[in-house]
Amino acid sequence: PVASTINTLAGALYKVFCASPDQARKEMREACFDYLSLGGTCSTGPIALLSGLNPSPLSLVLHFFAVAIYGVGRLLVPFPSPKRLWIGARLISAASGIIFPIIKAEGIRQMFFPTTIPAYHRAPPVNMGSD
């Protein structure tokens, strides 16, 4: 689960920070920096995920969408306009289009239900005292 969470986060960050002319991706990049600069849980949570200290995939998904919602809020707070509302909707859509395919490729069962995956590399049972 630790590797799956880190791989998913790394893939998502790569896609967010890839050069793209899309205004929604630009807003997502700026929202990432501003979200981390808020401090507290907004910075310690993502850093703990990236460092492997918190391997919870649910925490990853929650922080990822918190960044997206924070980005939408940044767009709408001063003066909401139809254009900003449209960019906000595209930001949420882009966030979903980034995280869900990565989770699917990593394996939903492997990430969220790791105990249901059979362990193929278990050590053979030790034969104690039967010689």
Side-chain angles (χ1 to χ4, degrees):
V2 175
S4 294
T5 301
I6 294 172
N7 288 343
T8 303
L9 180 58
L13 287 173
Y14 175 78
K15 288 193 174 197
V16 166
F17 287 102
C18 266
S20 171
D22 185 23
Q23 182 67 27
R25 291 268 177 108
K26 181 179 176 274
E27 290 295 332
M28 185 78 167
R29 284 190 291 272
E30 291 177 10
C32 276
F33 286 121
D34 288 349
Y35 183 80
L36 288 171
S37 69
L38 290 173
T41 304
C42 297
S43 62
T44 58
I47 298 302
L49 287 163
L50 192 57
S51 66
L53 294 173
N54 178 5
S56 167
L58 184 58
S59 180
L60 167 68
V61 172
L62 290 175
H63 277 289
F64 192 78
F65 279 105
V67 169
I69 291 167
Y70 179 74
V72 171
R74 287 180 31 164
L75 285 167
L76 300 180
V77 164
F79 299 105
S81 68
K83 181 181 178 185
R84 288 179 177 209
L85 191 60
W86 176 246
I87 293 171
R90 285 191 9 239
L91 193 152
I92 296 291
S93 175
S96 299
I98 288 171
I99 196 77
F100 291 134
I102 295 172
I103 289 173
K104 185 177 178 192
E106 195 66 36
I108 294 170
R109 272 182 65 197
Q110 179 180 336
M111 281 191 71
F112 292 97
F113 309 105
T115 56
T116 64
I117 305 294
Y120 293 110
H121 302 290
R122 289 191 181 149
V126 178
N127 199 357
M128 303 281 286
S130 64
D131 286 341

